[in-house]
Structure formats: C-alpha cells, structure tokens
C-alpha cells in the first residue's frame, strides 16, 4: 500500500488555514522562537566579521546551517502547540538531541549541486561566444538606459545580434523546472526527517513524490499562500513606513526582518506541519519507521 495519501485540491487551502490556527494558539511563543533563530544567525555573522577572512568564511557557512536547524526545531514546537502544549525555546535543540542535524542539511548540499549543474549547463549551451555576446548586450543596454534614450525596435534587434535567445529561453525553462522540483522535494522534507526519522535524501524523494501526487493541493496552497503573503507584506509596508519616519532605514529594515522571522516563518512551518500530517501521518508516529539502512552511521544519503 502506498505510504502517501491522495488528497483533494482543497487540502492546500486547509494547510494554510491550519497554519493560521496553530499560530493563533501561541503567537508570542512561536514568534519568540523565530526571533531566537534570527538573533543566533546575526551573532554568528557578527562573529564572522571579527575573525580573519578564511575563518570568517567558515563561520558564515555555519550561519547558513542555522536556518534548517531552527526550522526543524520550530516544527517540533508547532507539533507541541497542535497537541495543546507550550512551545519552548528548548524545542529548537530537539533536532540536535535526536541527531537529525546532518539530515536536515542535505537540502543545502542538493541546492549547491543544482546551482553548479545549472551554471555548467548554461556555459555548455551558450558557449564562450554566446556568453560574451550576452554580456555585451547587457552592457550596451545599460549605457542606453543611463543616457536616457529609448532604443527603437531596430536598435534592440541589433543589440541582440549574436545572442542565443532560444538557448537562453530553454535554459530558463530548465532552471524553472529545477526550482519547482527542488521546492516540492524540500517542502515536507524537514517534517519527514524530524518526525519520521527518514534519512535526508530519502525524505527529499518522499516529499517530491507526495507533492507530485498531490499537485492540485500544492497549486492551491501556493496560490493562496502568495495572496496571504501579499496581504501580510502590505501591512508590513505600512508599519515599515512608520518605522522609517520614526527611526530611519535601520528601524524599517528591523521591522521587515522581524516580520519575516516572527510571522512569516512560523506560519510557513505550520503549513508544512499540516501538509506532512495529512500526507504521511497515517503511517503512525508511535513507532516511526527506522532510518533506511546504510553502510555506516555517517551515510546521510542512504535511501
């Protein structure tokens, strides 16, 4: 029997409603967890600037790893809120206690591989001459914009001479498809790692399969989520303008960062929890499936 449920398209709307419901139960508790994650990342970046260049780069890499760990910890906190318990900062450390850190970091490695692969593909498809012609086109267009002149159709066509437009469009299509696939693979991956104790790569595959099977629900969720995000950001812009007048650009930037970490992130975590709960929770949480066998304890890519 399949491990993935087939959900109606309306389930995507339910994920978003569940996210707001969970956030409304403990807004301050969840917001504090997001702020803690923001402060930890900021402190690491400040420390990186105070260290020598090569050591500072290593510390900055550590700051990148903070995001997935905080996300996993917030999933635990949201789960506690869903069960009627309090969300505590201690929950942010749960992935470390459960030895889920390396598995939560797998998507970062996959994203890096995807960027390198897409960059290599772009170079192969366009070639040195195509890249040179494209760079020259952008340089001339920038010069025209700075001069204030509006290029005619003939000038535009002349600027595009030698530029492999069709190959660029094909590459953009491939890049978009890769982005969509990665987004679906990463959607419920943290929940599968934290709650079901799946390995990092196996959780990516399960998340991708679940999102493909429930593509209608994913499409509804993304559409409604975009509308909700636009409404939140509209309110945020008003608050940012007030902060800008009261405290300057620094205060406005702080308001934007605070909104992202204290509101947007907890809501998204709640939606991921709701989606995982409907897609995969029928397998049972009392006895979660073991991590798939590997050749050693450090093999995080085993399926």
């Amino acid at each position: 029997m399949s491990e993935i449920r087939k959900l109606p398209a309306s389930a995507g709307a339910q994920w978003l409603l569940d996210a707001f419901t969970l956030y409304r139960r403990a807004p301050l508790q969840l917001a504090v967890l997001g702020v803690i994650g923001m402060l930890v990342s900021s402190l690491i970046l400040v420390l990186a600037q105070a260290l020598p260049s090569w050591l500072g780069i290593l510390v900055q890499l550590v700051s990148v790893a903070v995001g997935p760990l905080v996300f996993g910890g917030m999933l635990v906190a949201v789960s506690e809120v869903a069960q009627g318990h309090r969300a505590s900062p201690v929950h942010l450390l749960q992935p470390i206690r459960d030895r889920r850190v390396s598995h939560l970091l797998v998507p970062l490695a996959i994203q890096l591989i995807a960027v390198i692969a897409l960059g290599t593909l772009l170079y192969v498809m366009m070639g040195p001459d195509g890249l040179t012609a494209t760079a020259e086109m952008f340089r001339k267009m920038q010069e025209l914009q700075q001069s204030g002149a509006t290029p005619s159709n003939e000038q535009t066509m002349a600027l595009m001479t030698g530029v492999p437009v069709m190959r660029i469009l094909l590459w953009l299509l491939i890049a978009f498809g890769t982005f969509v696939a990665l987004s679906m693979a990463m959607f419920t991956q943290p929940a599968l790692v934290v709650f079901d104790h799946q390995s990092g790569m196996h959780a990516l595959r399960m998340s991708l399969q679940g999102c493909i099977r429930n593509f209608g629900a994913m499409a509804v969720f993304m559409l409604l989520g975009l509308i909700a995000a636009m409404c939140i950001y509209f309110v945020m812009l008003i608050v940012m303008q007030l902060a800008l007048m009261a405290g300057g650009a620094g205060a406005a930037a702080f308001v934007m960062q605070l909104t992202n970490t204290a509101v947007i992130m907890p809501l998204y975590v709640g939606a991921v929890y709701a989606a995982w709960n409907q897609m995969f929770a029928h397998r049972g949480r009392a006895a979660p499936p073991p991590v798939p066998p590997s050749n050693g304890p450090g093999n995080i890519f085993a399926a």
Side-chain angles (χ1 to χ4, degrees):
M1 184 177 63
S2 173
E3 295 179 315
I4 303 171
R5 285 174 173 169
K6 173 63 177 176
L7 304 174
S10 59
Q14 188 62 50
W15 300 344
L16 191 61
L17 291 175
D18 289 348
F20 279 97
T21 299
L22 289 171
Y23 187 80
R24 190 169 60 248
R25 289 183 185 178
L28 182 59
Q29 298 169 27
L30 295 176
V32 166
L33 298 187
V35 172
I36 290 175
M38 178 186 69
L39 292 177
V40 171
S41 297
S42 301
L43 288 175
I44 293 176
L45 291 176
V46 170
L47 177 61
Q49 294 177 356
L51 294 173
S53 58
W54 63 272
L55 189 57
I57 293 175
L58 293 179
V59 175
Q60 288 182 16
L61 292 177
V62 174
S63 70
V64 175
V66 170
L69 298 184
V70 172
F71 196 96
M74 290 192 69
L75 276 170
V76 177
V78 166
S79 174
E80 293 295 320
V81 171
Q83 298 175 55
H85 304 147
R86 287 182 57 84
S88 168
V90 177
H91 293 137
L92 295 178
L93 302 176
Q94 193 63 42
I96 299 177
R97 290 195 291 265
D98 293 342
R99 299 180 181 180
R100 300 282 85 201
V101 175
S102 58
H103 301 282
L104 287 171
L105 298 182
V106 167
L108 293 180
I110 300 302
Q111 290 179 71
L112 178 60
I113 294 172
V115 169
I116 295 175
L118 287 173
T120 303
L121 179 63
L122 179 64
Y123 180 82
V124 171
M125 291 178 65
M126 296 186 62
D129 294 339
L131 291 173
T132 302
T134 303
E136 184 66 15
M137 178 194 69
F138 282 118
R139 185 185 66 81
K140 292 180 179 179
M141 289 181 64
Q142 186 176 14
E143 291 177 352
L144 286 174
Q145 289 178 351
Q146 291 176 350
S147 65
T150 302
S152 62
N153 293 334
E154 291 76 11
Q155 288 177 316
T156 302
M157 295 302 297
L159 290 174
M160 296 179 62
T161 302
V163 177
V165 177
M166 295 305 299
R167 279 177 282 178
I168 292 176
L169 293 176
L170 177 59
W171 181 85
L172 289 174
L173 181 62
I174 295 172
F176 177 76
T178 302
F179 170 78
V180 172
L182 284 176
S183 298
M184 292 191 297
M186 294 167 56
F187 183 53
T188 57
Q189 192 266 0
L192 289 166
V193 166
V194 170
F195 299 126
D196 292 341
H197 284 206
Q198 297 285 355
S199 69
M201 186 61 74
H202 185 68
L204 280 173
R205 289 201 296 269
M206 288 291 293
S207 178
L208 179 60
Q209 292 171 9
C211 290
I212 291 176
R213 185 170 185 182
N214 295 285
F215 188 79
M218 282 296 300
V220 171
F221 169 72
M222 294 302 296
L223 177 60
L224 296 181
L226 179 61
I227 295 174
M230 290 176 62
C231 294
I232 294 174
Y233 278 116
F234 177 76
V235 176
M236 183 192 70
L237 287 175
I238 297 176
V239 178
M240 283 180 61
Q241 290 298 321
L242 296 176
L244 184 63
M245 291 186 294
F254 176 77
V255 168
M256 181 179 67
Q257 187 68 17
L258 187 64
T259 303
N260 287 329
T261 56
V263 180
I264 301 296
M265 184 178 179
L267 284 174
Y268 183 71
V269 172
V272 170
Y273 174 79
W276 165 83
N277 198 41
Q278 289 193 10
M279 286 188 193
F280 304 100
H282 64 284
R283 295 185 300 171
R285 293 185 57 185
V291 177
S294 61
N295 296 329
N299 187 355
I300 61 177
F301 293 96

